[in-house]
Amino acid sequence: MNKRGEAMKYFTPNLWKMLSSLDETKRQNANAQWKEAWEQYHKYMEEEVHNNISKKKWSTIIRCHSFHDSIINGIEIINSFYKQKPSICVSIILDNKIRLQLINVTHCLFDIHNRVALPCRSFSWGYCEFELIDNKRIRLSIISDVTNQFVFEFDNIAIHK
């Protein structure tokens, strides 16, 4: 988590809130900040992540950025094996049809501020950020419904339909 207590580094809850401000100046300022954040994140992803992970992982990570507005129907924590050792996997079920599987999870954080959650009284996937840790492990931060944040650290990632 960053110094403001937010998991997201680029697309922060505060910035997302400002995008919906009634004050046009704040919205314009937030749009400019959002554009800059996107450019910084894209640069980080290309320079630090893309070059240090497999093509398969990269392809899966890129697909995750298209989950915006998907409904998070469930998060399952599953005991399993990874590389023939006891492990924990986390499955995130989206729109009742996509299963994002995070393999060999060593850290989970659920920071829930908005318990009403929209839309449809379900959490929705807002934006996500990936970060490479120690050139091998991956951190996925998800911002949901403006203020809720989920963070996972893991070794591998897969998407199943």
Side-chain angles (χ1 to χ4, degrees):
M1 304 239 322
N2 65 25
K3 61 186 173 193
R4 292 181 303 241
E6 297 171 343
M8 305 293 281
K9 292 182 177 183
Y10 300 92
F11 310 114
T12 65
N14 189 46
L15 184 54
W16 195 0
K17 283 181 209 173
M18 287 182 5
L19 287 171
S20 301
S21 175
L22 297 176
D23 182 327
E24 186 172 339
T25 303
K26 284 184 181 179
R27 276 195 322 273
Q28 289 175 347
N29 191 15
N31 278 316
Q33 288 179 43
W34 193 269
K35 183 180 178 190
E36 183 179 330
W38 175 254
E39 289 171 3
Q40 289 174 355
Y41 178 64
H42 186 268
K43 181 179 178 185
Y44 167 77
M45 290 295 290
E46 283 295 328
E47 292 177 0
E48 300 296 326
V49 179
H50 188 194
N51 296 324
N52 291 302
I53 62 173
S54 70
K55 288 181 182 183
K56 186 174 181 178
K57 277 185 194 177
W58 177 252
S59 175
T60 302
I61 285 172
I62 293 304
R63 285 181 61 197
C64 290
H65 289 96
S66 68
F67 292 156
H68 181 72
D69 288 340
S70 293
I71 300 299
I72 301 172
N73 300 102
I75 298 175
E76 301 171 349
I77 299 174
I78 304 158
N79 288 323
S80 65
F81 286 86
Y82 179 67
K83 295 185 178 179
Q84 301 180 344
K85 294 181 182 174
S87 174
I88 292 182
C89 289
V90 171
S91 286
I92 303 172
I93 299 91
L94 299 164
D95 294 334
N96 282 324
K97 61 184 177 184
I98 298 169
R99 179 177 298 267
L100 176 63
Q101 188 174 35
L102 309 176
I103 303 161
N104 198 28
V105 176
T106 58
H107 176 81
C108 294
L109 170 73
F110 299 91
D111 190 13
I112 310 296
H113 296 275
N114 177 1
R115 295 179 190 207
V116 176
L118 298 172
C120 306
R121 296 190 173 268
S122 300
F123 293 114
S124 65
W125 182 297
Y127 299 94
C128 67
E129 294 177 1
F130 286 88
E131 182 178 357
L132 199 57
I133 304 167
D134 299 329
N135 285 334
K136 58 182 177 177
R137 299 191 45 75
I138 301 168
R139 177 181 295 132
L140 166 61
S141 300
I142 303 166
I143 187 170
S144 168
D145 305 302
V146 183
T147 60
N148 301 318
Q149 297 178 79
F150 308 104
V151 180
F152 304 93
E153 292 180 9
F154 53 93
D155 287 339
N156 210 342
I157 185 171
I159 295 175
H160 307 282
K161 288 198 175 201

